[in-house]
Amino acid sequence: QVQLVESGGGSVQAGGSLTLSCAAPEYTSSTYCMGWFRQAPGKEREWVATFFIGGGDAYYANAVKGRFTISQGAAKNTVYLQMHSLKPEDTAKYYCAADGGCTDAQLIDYWGQGTQVTVSS
């Protein structure tokens, strides 16, 4: 079992920046991907970005490409999501996720509790 603990959410004006963190205290060498999903009220949970630990590759949803950056910390059990040029439509609860399908919400093995991001216009 891998516990995921998110932090860094908050409120910001459009055009601003936030950085989310996700720590996995029980991280193991078998963990192969960590990433972020988000869910706005009344909408399905959608994939945002994934970092593949073995190869160091990062992938992004089109909606955030060029504005968000996912990276692994020096401690391999932490990933960050740097969010720039935030838009009101980025408002959602952001969830850290690990393993399983990696980019498919239906196939994720482990979820964090989520952290709220609110972007005002």
Side-chain angles (χ1 to χ4, degrees):
Q1 185 74 16
V2 176
Q3 180 187 10
L4 302 174
V5 181
E6 303 107 330
S7 61
S11 297
V12 65
Q13 289 191 326
S17 300
L18 283 173
T19 297
L20 306 182
S21 301
C22 174
E26 289 86 27
Y27 173 91
T28 69
S29 60
S30 63
T31 300
Y32 54 90
C33 67
M34 293 179 69
W36 296 90
F37 289 72
R38 66 186 182 186
Q39 188 167 19
K43 294 189 176 182
E44 292 187 353
R45 191 169 296 190
E46 64 173 358
W47 172 64
V48 174
T50 297
F51 186 88
F52 285 86
I53 294 169
D57 299 312
Y59 295 88
Y60 302 91
N62 287 335
V64 306
K65 199 173 294 183
R67 299 188 298 122
F68 291 11
T69 301
I70 187 170
S71 60
Q72 187 178 30
K76 291 189 175 181
N77 65 344
T78 302
V79 291
Y80 301 97
L81 185 68
Q82 295 176 286
M83 305 183 294
H84 300 291
S85 302
L86 283 161
K87 306 174 182 180
E89 50 264 44
D90 293 317
T91 295
K93 194 165 188 179
Y94 284 68
Y95 294 88
C96 183
D99 293 344
C102 295
T103 61
D104 186 335
Q106 302 300 316
L107 301 177
I108 291 294
D109 283 348
Y110 307 107
W111 291 101
Q113 294 299 308
T115 185
Q116 180 67 36
V117 172
T118 302
V119 184
S120 58
S121 57

